[in-house]
Amino acid sequence: NIVHRDISPQNIIVTYLGDVKIVDSGVAKSSSQSSEDSKDGQLKGKVPYMSPEQAAGGNIDWRSDIFAVGVLLFELATGKRLFKGASEFETLKLICDKDYPRPSEVKPGFPPALDRIIMKALEKDRDKRYQSAREMQSDIEAFVREERIPVSQISLTQWMQSLFEDKLAQQK
């Protein structure tokens, strides 16, 4: 029952060996802690990756992190930012008050199955969102199998090592 509250690109690390890690749990919160979200009315986390309930200063649970993963997946798959207002306040309004674009509206030819996965992760009503990260993972894995997308830790390791070949050679 731990909520990270700051799932964002800066807090996702891919190692040279292809391991993907979530880091910086400095604002993580356990369900055993007080239900007070923050002190002095300050929000915790990076605004463009906040769930609607987090952006509104409401109570949050693990499904808030699933929403943030949905934002990351939207951005990775479309190459576009999902929530970017002129100010943090405007960004919060986008998250809480506006309809979200479907990835297929942003990127023509977007796979319908991946569109559905992302939009389910981005449901404003957390009861309609994925209820666990494993449930979302299962749908992503099914999509990868159906589309025959070659993914493996070995290929990720090889890609990371090719990207950082010079740095790895220096370390040896």
Side-chain angles (χ1 to χ4, degrees):
N1 294 324
I2 295 176
V3 183
H4 188 281
R5 299 196 299 177
D6 196 17
I7 302 287
S8 61
Q10 299 89 330
N11 291 335
I12 307 293
I13 303 296
V14 181
T15 70
Y16 297 131
L17 297 177
D19 297 317
V20 180
K21 299 180 179 194
I22 299 171
V23 298
D24 193 7
S25 345
V27 298
K29 180 178 157 185
S30 164
S31 64
S32 64
Q33 291 176 313
S34 162
S35 64
E36 182 182 316
D37 189 45
S38 59
K39 294 180 181 174
D40 303 320
Q42 292 183 342
L43 294 172
K44 306 279 186 175
K46 292 171 193 73
V47 172
Y49 300 92
M50 289 183 177
S51 64
E53 60 272 18
Q54 186 177 5
N59 290 330
I60 60 169
D61 60 25
W62 67 95
R63 294 170 292 186
S64 187
D65 288 343
I66 291 171
F67 184 92
V69 171
V71 175
L72 285 169
L73 191 52
F74 178 99
E75 293 179 351
L76 282 168
T78 65
K80 303 285 183 191
R81 291 287 301 270
L82 181 55
F83 301 119
K84 186 171 182 173
S87 65
E88 280 194 352
F89 178 74
E90 289 298 320
T91 302
L92 291 167
K93 284 177 59 174
L94 288 173
I95 296 166
C96 294
D97 300 337
K98 301 291 182 186
D99 290 334
Y100 309 151
R102 299 186 74 80
S104 55
E105 295 168 359
V106 175
K107 190 172 182 180
F110 198 83
L114 187 55
D115 197 69
R116 284 189 297 277
I117 291 168
I118 292 171
M119 293 311 293
K120 183 171 182 178
L122 293 175
E123 279 285 350
K124 284 188 183 189
D125 179 347
R126 62 181 158 192
D127 291 330
K128 293 180 181 176
R129 218 175 279 157
Y130 283 102
Q131 297 301 296
S132 73
R134 291 243 187 260
E135 181 187 356
M136 185 176 179
Q137 177 184 0
S138 177
D139 282 356
I140 292 170
E141 287 176 353
F143 166 74
V144 165
R145 277 190 308 277
E146 289 165 15
E147 295 293 320
R148 298 178 183 223
I149 300 170
V151 294
S152 71
Q153 185 167 0
I154 292 170
S155 62
L156 182 56
T157 299
Q158 289 170 341
W159 184 64
M160 289 299 291
Q161 289 179 350
S162 71
L163 284 176
F164 296 97
E165 188 174 1
D166 294 341
K167 189 168 189 156
L168 290 169
Q170 285 176 341
Q171 288 181 353
K172 288 182 182 179

